Amino acid sequence: MTRKKSFLEVIAENRFIHILLSIFLGFLVGAVFLSIMGLSVSAAYGRLISSVTSLKGFSYVIVYSVPYIVAGLSVAFSFKTGVFNIGAEGQFVVGSMAAACVGILAGSLPKPILIPLCFLAAMAAGAVWGIIVGVLKTKWGINEVLSMIMFNWIAFYLSNFIAGIPAIKNDGTAEATKNISDNASLLFSKDFIKSMGLAPTANWGFLVAIVVTLIVWFVIEKTTLGYELKAVGANKFAAEYGGINVNRSILTALAISGALAGLAGALQLMGMGKRISIFSSQEGFGFAGIVVALIGCSNPFGVLVAGIFYGGLMYGGSKLNLEGVPTQLISVIVGTVVFFIAISVIFENLGRFSTHANRNAEAAADKTAHEQQQKEDEKK
């Protein structure tokens, strides 16, 4: 007879339920903070929902979500292959700057040539940034997390340096690069945006993000390369014993992951920014990609949905001040969600404990029934 699973066992076996529960707890903690501050929970969350459910509001969400989706795919790809790409931030920055340089210096090229050229430049820059760390790890055994943190800062200051070069710097007083050529822009036409009632920055980036999601899924799940990378991620010693070149796989994973993060930077620039300001602090798109990858369970389609969810939080959160609510509430919610996802092993252990307890109870019940049956047989 099949035993019915307990509630804790169902939670322990289902990662999707972990995520939903973590999101619920995140909003619950946010509600507690609102109550402590004496603010209306219903008004704050009502504003959050209403700001993203209109056609124009949702188009803003889609625009916001594009860099988070592709950066999330970058991190998720590396997660699948056993590498923690905390350097997506730096790869995002060098990718966006590479796209900016091409979009400015080669701005006279026709749109069908210039846009792919910007994408390729961004992906190449991001891939090189990832490969450098990969070489440091595979050749000299330098910890990739430490290297990536350092390279994030190198990318930060390198971007500021390039933004100050006369051929790239804005001609006015703005501390930023020149605007990229209109031929490098992904924006929809003004007439289309106006007729559809979309956000002024509505662009083709989301379609690119969908295509990239499909490609990443196909590479991971349907190719020999994906199988090898996942094998290395699961157990690099077993993979090496099976004839897989582990060092080459790590370099490949970091190159592809870096290329995706660089592409995310290009999509942000070509879809929304059009120029890069001289940074005073890191923007955090690459770090947000880690959050999106965690919420999406490192599944490409999960990342797509998680990126839209994160974009909705970012855009909706910017409207909370209309209700007198500090926009930092969104950071509290996101931080809480990530915290509970990170400790989701607790749910798994509770499930295992519940399973063990149930089995012990069943064994005790079976033993009692067996002893009772023996006594009845002896009486007969």
Side-chain angles (χ1 to χ4, degrees), residues 85 129 137 157 191 253 287 323:
N85 186 11
W129 220 245
K137 176 181 174 62
Y157 289 111
D191 291 338
F287 298 123
E323 298 293 334

Side-chain angles (χ1 to χ4, degrees), residues 4-23:
K4 187 177 180 180
K5 294 180 180 179
S6 69
F7 176 70
L8 287 177
E9 287 177 285
V10 172
I11 291 178
E13 295 173 4
N14 195 318
R15 181 70 174 168
F16 179 66
I17 294 179
H18 293 180
I19 303 300
L20 290 181
L21 186 58
S22 297
I23 291 172

Side-chain angles (χ1 to χ4, degrees), residues 77-369:
F77 188 89
S78 65
F79 278 170
K80 283 285 187 181
T81 54
V83 179
F84 182 40
N85 186 11
I86 200 172
E89 178 70 14
Q91 295 151 12
F92 182 100
V93 169
V94 296
S96 61
M97 182 52 77
C101 290
V102 173
I104 293 168
L105 300 177
S108 59
L109 291 174
K111 208 176 186 79
I113 296 176
L114 186 56
I115 288 177
L117 198 59
C118 289
F119 285 164
L120 289 173
M123 293 175 72
V128 168
W129 220 245
I131 288 173
I132 293 172
V133 173
V135 170
L136 293 174
K137 176 181 174 62
T138 57
K139 192 169 181 63
W140 291 290
I142 298 173
N143 184 282
E144 71 274 18
V145 173
L146 296 176
S147 300
M148 286 174 178
I149 292 173
M150 294 300 101
F151 270 83
N152 285 343
W153 286 107
I154 294 172
F156 174 86
Y157 289 111
L158 177 63
S159 177
N160 284 353
F161 171 77
I162 295 174
I165 295 174
I168 302 297
K169 190 177 185 301
N170 189 289
D171 295 326
T173 57
E175 292 296 311
T177 66
K178 297 175 182 177
N179 283 359
I180 60 172
S181 166
D182 288 339
N183 289 344
S185 174
L186 297 175
L187 290 176
F188 292 141
S189 69
K190 292 182 180 179
D191 291 338
F192 179 77
I193 290 173
K194 186 176 180 180
S195 64
M196 295 296 293
L198 303 177
T201 51
N203 60 77
W204 296 97
F206 187 67
L207 296 180
V208 177
I210 292 175
V211 171
V212 173
T213 300
L214 293 171
I215 292 173
V216 170
W217 171 81
F218 182 81
V219 169
I220 291 174
E221 301 296 339
K222 301 295 181 181
T223 66
T224 303
L225 172 63
Y227 173 80
E228 290 180 353
L229 295 177
K230 286 192 294 183
V232 172
N235 190 322
K236 67 178 183 180
F237 301 108
E240 189 172 28
Y241 183 78
I244 296 174
N245 188 323
V246 172
N247 287 343
R248 185 183 65 187
S249 295
I250 291 173
L251 287 173
T252 302
L254 286 172
I256 294 174
S257 181
L260 290 171
L263 178 61
L267 289 170
Q268 169 67 10
L269 170 76
M270 298 161 69
M272 284 187 69
K274 297 200 74 175
R275 65 180 183 177
I276 298 175
S277 299
I278 292 179
F279 298 124
S280 58
S281 63
Q282 295 189 21
E283 290 187 296
F285 284 100
F287 298 123
I290 298 174
V291 176
V292 171
L294 286 172
I295 295 175
C297 303
S298 295
N299 179 290
F301 298 113
V303 169
L304 179 66
V305 176
I308 296 173
F309 170 72
Y310 195 90
L313 284 180
M314 293 300 104
Y315 174 69
S318 68
K319 304 299 179 184
L320 288 178
N321 53 9
L322 297 175
E323 298 293 334
V325 177
T327 56
Q328 288 82 359
L329 175 70
I330 296 301
S331 298
V332 172
I333 293 173
V334 171
T336 306
V337 170
V338 173
F339 172 75
F340 280 108
I341 290 174
I343 64 169
S344 61
V345 67
I346 292 175
F347 301 136
E348 297 174 9
N349 289 334
L350 286 174
R352 293 191 188 103
F353 175 78
S354 177
T355 301
H356 183 68
N358 287 334
R359 286 175 179 170
N360 286 343
E362 288 175 359
D366 290 342
K367 182 178 180 181
T368 302

Side-chain angles (χ1 to χ4, degrees), residues 23-24 26-31 34 40-62 64 308-334 337:
I23 291 172
F24 170 77
F27 279 97
L28 183 62
V29 169
L34 286 170
S40 171
V41 176
S42 59
Y45 286 169
R47 173 66 66 177
L48 184 65
I49 293 171
S50 64
S51 64
V52 302
T53 49
S54 66
L55 177 60
K56 188 171 184 177
F58 188 68
S59 68
Y60 267 113
V61 171
I62 293 300
Y64 273 59
I308 296 173
F309 170 72
Y310 195 90
L313 284 180
M314 293 300 104
Y315 174 69
S318 68
K319 304 299 179 184
L320 288 178
N321 53 9
L322 297 175
E323 298 293 334
V325 177
T327 56
Q328 288 82 359
L329 175 70
I330 296 301
S331 298
V332 172
I333 293 173
V334 171
V337 170

